[in-house]
Amino acid sequence: TQTVSQSDAHVTVFEGDSVELRCNYSYGGSIYLSWYIQHHGHGLQFLLKYYSGNPVVQGVNGFEAEFSKSDSSFHLRKASVHWSDSAVYFCAVRSSNTNKVVFGTGTRLQVLP
Amino acid sequence: GPKVLQIPSHQIIDMGQMVTLNCDPVSNHLYFYWYKQILGQQMEFLVNFYNGKVMEKSKLFKDQFSVERPDGSYFTLKIQPTALEDSAVYFCASSLGRKSGNTLYFGEGSRLIVV
């Protein structure tokens, strides 16, 4: 059974700060890892994904994530956040032999001016 | 970018009645999904659908739930009868398929309130 956990329910930073949102997964086979963003009252929007190759993947709006097999992690980072980055961020995992995409519990990022 | 449309955006319904939530997926997408979200919390997988069939479903996809996409029209989620615990925001998503890594495109959600 594939699982994904996001240990931080809330993260608060100031505009211009760097941020890292944590994601850990549990699955033994080949998997796809993704991050999505959800602004209040809207659906989820895709940010980036990893399957193979360079473990650091770039996404939209300056986001990047790094895959670590040894840590079973796929943390999301941004060097300098903007107030508009305030949203809920979901990590997601899908094994390569299924179409079921499982989401973590989400991390609410609040960016203060 | 590609758009997934959901109708209605909001619906209030009496417990025990039937409700149908409609989803117009991205036009060339092949896989369709429904997720349930309560109070902005976790996105809970309900079901995925491909080639006219349910592929996978979760325990949340109760017997009262059904999905279909007749003749390539709306992808629908029907709940009959509804229960109080069905109150949630239901999100439809679609994807091109496994070769794209199943990148999901979501609609804006249908907020269902069962009273």
Side-chain angles (χ1 to χ4, degrees), chain B residues 6 21 35-36 46 77 79 86 88-92 109-110 112:
Chain B
Q6 289 189 239
L21 306 180
Y35 284 84
K36 178 180 182 182
L46 286 176
L77 173 66
I79 309 174
D86 296 330
V89 182
Y90 291 85
F91 288 94
C92 174
S110 293
L112 176 65

Side-chain angles (χ1 to χ4, degrees), chain B residues 12-18 81-86 113-115:
Chain B
I12 301 173
I13 195 165
D14 291 327
M15 181 177 61
Q17 297 297 306
M18 181 192 76
T82 50
L84 294 176
E85 61 264 27
D86 296 330
I113 299 172
V114 182
V115 298

Side-chain angles (χ1 to χ4, degrees), chain A residues 2 4 11 19 25 28 36 43 46 50 57 61 69 71 76 79 86 92 94 97 100-102 104-105 107 110-112:
Chain A
Q2 64 221 47
V4 57
V11 171
V19 71
Y25 65 90
Y36 288 78
F46 172 77
Y50 172 82
V57 291
N61 294 335
K69 188 172 183 178
D71 293 339
L76 181 71
S86 296
R94 175 181 78 82
N97 60 1
K100 178 180 176 182
V101 179
V102 176
T105 50
T107 297
Q110 184 178 16
V111 181
L112 301 177

